Amino acid sequence: QYKVEAEKSKMGIFFQAPGDKVELKKKVTLLRGISIIIGIIIGAGIFISPKGILKNSGSVGMSLVIWAACGVLSLFGALSYAELGTCIKKSGGHYTYILEAFGPKMAFIRLWVDLIAIRPAGMAVISLAFGRYILEPIFMPCNVPEFAVKLATSIGLTAVMYLNSMSVTWTARIQVLLTFTKLIPIAIIIIPGMIQLFRGETQNFENAFEVDGIQFSGLPLAFYSGMYAYSGWFYLNFVTEEVEHPEKTLPLAICISMTVVTFCYVLTNVAYYTVMTAQELLDSDAVAVTFAEKLYDNFSMVVPVLVSLSCLGSMNGGLFAISRWVMFYVASREGQLPEILSMIHVRRHTPIPAVIILYPLTILILFLGDIYSLLNFMSFMRWLFIGIAVLGLIYLRFTRPDMERPFKVPLFIPAVFSFTCFFMVFFSLYSDPFNTGIGFIISMTGIPAYYIFIAYDKKPKWILKLSDSINRSLQIIMEVVPSEY
């Protein structure tokens, strides 16, 4: 400890008393765990995914089945992660589970793909939804130009990145406010939609399961859209070390959260179809806006503003979670990431290096594609490796049967979940070969990257010195120090 502090002093940063720590502290109870999961899941997905699910499923009835199925599937995945999180009591989520089951090579490939593609693409998808909805009131009733959407997206993303770099307090305060706004547009959609349904407005549900309309080749992409809307159930596992009584808290928080979210999502889509025809939903670039125009008339301009705030909350909360992502700390501890990425500012206690590295990648990706192409591109990689992590649970059951498992799920749950993940992934190569093919190629680049950056231990001394010099220089410029997690 004294050696580390003395080294910081030599660098001219500051000298810290041994008892003082620069750290990110968390204490997660059951209620906080539920709020984390629901707060992260409910956001942009419910306003992005309905069109993608209907387009690729082919009928109103099948789209509702997929919404419910994705909720059940997400519950299966979450319960599988609950077992992983209680028997592998280390933070880091996907990365740690793959590392424990399949070793450092597979874990690094997962880390590599997540850092350069999955996280930036996921942030780009949410940001594009924000850009579109924030401009809808300005351009009504005309379509919003794509360049204007991407310009507004870039401005919003830059503002969120800056906020996350400058102040933890203001980031958290704004997130609390935006979390409450997430539930308002959901209520505005569900309540009047249910009133219309009870009044007998059921004509849009006639012939809901027309066989001719069902597109089996598009089902993997429909599941991608659905699973994207539910994504977030795994975030609590990233901070397992900070969860109180994880063997009880994790599974209980997951079951309660997923039940609430699935119920809300299915009701929201029933409300959509009560007011809109399937074709109107497919023709809409902003489903919530079309819903509001048909039901609220002059009040309709308020809905896209509320939805854009919901998306902004997802952007801010997502970046807050990702940049403070425990996987950065765990991977640095394992020697698979530069230490600079796990450091935080000495005064602001914000993870500036992690924010900075995500920013240019996200900006680049959002200008390269639209919401649905980026969603397919990201989903291929995300669900491939989540499927591998859950497959690791089954593998550990046989290779390490004596491992302590305070919470244990029936084996069919991880089996069904991992099989469905691999079904989505491999069949999507047929359904959308371009975007998912790019995802596959990026995943494969992790193999040579592992051997170049990790496995090859005979690097010339000048490279090691250069790397150390760059790390020290960046640490001084950004005024960051290692965080003791």
Side-chain angles (χ1 to χ4, degrees):
Q1 176 73 22
Y2 282 98
K3 185 179 179 181
V4 172
E5 301 303 333
E7 190 66 21
K8 294 174 187 173
S9 180
K10 288 178 185 177
M11 293 171 61
I13 297 177
F14 79 119
F15 188 88
Q16 201 179 1
D20 298 333
K21 294 181 180 180
V22 179
E23 60 184 354
L24 301 172
K25 296 181 179 179
K26 296 179 183 178
K27 197 70 173 178
V28 181
T29 61
L30 174 62
L31 184 59
R32 289 176 183 175
I34 292 171
S35 66
I36 287 172
I37 297 173
I38 293 178
I40 291 176
I41 293 178
I42 295 180
I46 189 59
F47 308 112
I48 295 172
S49 298
K51 180 177 178 178
I53 290 179
L54 179 60
K55 178 182 177 181
N56 291 296
S57 64
S59 75
V60 170
M62 183 58 73
S63 70
L64 293 175
V65 168
I66 288 175
W67 275 106
C70 287
V72 174
L73 188 63
S74 297
L75 175 61
F76 279 14
L79 290 173
S80 300
Y81 263 50
E83 177 175 331
L84 286 167
T86 52
C87 69
I88 303 173
K89 294 182 180 179
K90 299 177 184 177
S91 293
H94 322 299
Y95 173 80
T96 299
Y97 307 146
I98 293 175
L99 181 67
E100 287 286 325
F102 302 115
K105 184 191 294 185
M106 185 64 73
F108 175 83
I109 295 172
R110 205 290 178 225
L111 176 71
W112 171 265
V113 170
D114 224 307
L115 189 61
I116 69 170
I118 296 177
R119 295 298 159 182
M123 184 61 66
V125 169
I126 300 171
S127 303
L128 284 168
F130 163 79
R132 180 166 297 282
Y133 275 101
I134 198 68
L135 293 178
E136 281 289 339
I138 300 173
F139 285 87
M140 280 182 178
C142 302
N143 293 327
V144 184
E146 285 301 315
F147 180 76
V149 171
K150 298 201 173 184
L151 183 61
T153 298
S154 302
I155 294 171
L157 184 63
T158 302
V160 170
M161 292 280 186
Y162 179 80
L163 178 65
N164 273 265
S165 298
M166 292 298 106
S167 173
V168 174
T169 302
W170 278 105
T171 300
R173 285 176 180 173
I174 290 174
Q175 186 59 28
V176 170
L177 177 64
L178 292 175
T179 298
F180 282 107
T181 65
K182 286 184 177 189
L183 301 176
I184 298 175
I186 299 291
I188 287 176
I189 291 169
I190 290 178
I191 294 172
M194 291 300 102
I195 292 172
Q196 293 292 101
L197 185 66
F198 294 141
R199 285 177 177 173
E201 298 291 333
T202 59
Q203 62 272 16
N204 295 335
F205 295 98
E206 295 176 2
N207 302 317
F209 288 94
E210 285 184 331
V211 178
D212 294 340
I214 298 176
Q215 303 172 12
F216 291 101
S217 62
L219 288 182
L221 303 184
F223 270 93
Y224 274 171
S225 292
M227 294 300 286
Y228 171 76
Y230 285 97
S231 62
W233 47 261
F234 40 74
Y235 274 96
L236 198 57
N237 289 68
F238 291 161
V239 289
T240 302
E241 293 175 14
E242 307 306 317
V243 176
E244 289 185 352
H245 310 297
E247 66 279 357
K248 295 180 181 179
T249 303
L250 269 176
L252 196 55
I254 285 165
C255 289
I256 294 172
S257 302
M258 295 313 303
T259 301
V260 171
V261 172
T262 303
F263 186 72
C264 287
Y265 278 4
V266 172
L267 285 184
T268 301
N269 280 272
V270 169
Y272 283 146
Y273 291 126
T274 302
V275 175
M276 292 184 286
T277 65
Q279 192 57 50
E280 285 173 333
L281 193 147
L282 289 174
D283 292 338
S284 174
D285 288 324
V287 178
V289 173
T290 305
F291 177 93
E293 286 176 339
K294 292 181 70 66
L295 205 61
Y296 292 116
D297 295 329
N298 295 331
F299 184 69
S300 63
M301 294 184 66
V302 175
V303 174
V305 174
L306 292 172
V307 173
S308 65
L309 290 175
S310 176
C311 294
L312 186 64
S314 295
M315 290 165 61
N316 187 61
L319 183 62
F320 187 86
I322 293 167
S323 58
R324 288 152 180 82
W325 203 8
V326 185
M327 194 157 88
F328 284 150
Y329 301 93
V330 177
S332 294
R333 195 164 60 196
E334 295 292 333
Q336 292 195 346
L337 267 186
E339 189 182 9
I340 189 72
L341 290 179
S342 66
M343 296 186 183
I344 61 176
H345 196 275
V346 295
R347 293 185 302 277
R348 300 188 183 100
H349 288 201
T350 55
I352 290 179
V355 173
I356 289 175
I357 196 172
L358 285 169
Y359 180 72
L361 289 171
T362 305
I363 291 291
L364 173 65
I365 287 175
L366 74 85
F367 274 98
L368 291 179
D370 59 26
I371 287 177
Y372 296 102
S373 63
L374 290 177
L375 197 153
N376 293 342
F377 157 75
M378 169 194 70
S379 295
F380 175 89
M381 295 175 286
R382 168 179 277 177
W383 298 111
L384 171 63
F385 286 102
I386 289 180
I388 290 173
V390 174
L391 186 65
L393 182 154
I394 300 172
Y395 179 73
L396 289 172
R397 285 277 189 96
F398 293 98
T399 58
R400 296 168 66 178
D402 297 330
M403 177 183 284
E404 183 182 357
R405 292 176 172 87
F407 175 76
K408 193 173 182 179
V409 295
L411 201 58
F412 83 90
I413 288 180
V416 169
F417 180 82
S418 57
F419 172 80
T420 307
C421 284
F422 296 139
F423 167 80
M424 287 192 298
V425 164
F426 292 115
F427 276 88
S428 68
L429 288 169
Y430 169 76
S431 303
D432 186 2
F434 181 75
N435 291 302
T436 55
I438 293 175
F440 176 76
I441 292 170
I442 290 177
S443 300
M444 291 300 100
T445 63
I447 298 174
Y450 173 78
Y451 286 103
I452 293 171
F453 297 116
I454 306 299
Y456 182 61
D457 57 359
K458 295 182 180 180
K459 298 179 180 69
K461 289 185 178 180
W462 67 270
I463 291 181
L464 297 175
K465 288 182 179 179
L466 179 63
S467 176
D468 185 58
S469 176
I470 292 173
N471 187 73
R472 288 169 176 267
S473 299
L474 290 174
Q475 193 174 350
I476 292 170
I477 292 169
M478 290 187 281
E479 299 183 64
V480 293
V481 294
S483 169
E484 297 182 22
Y485 184 81

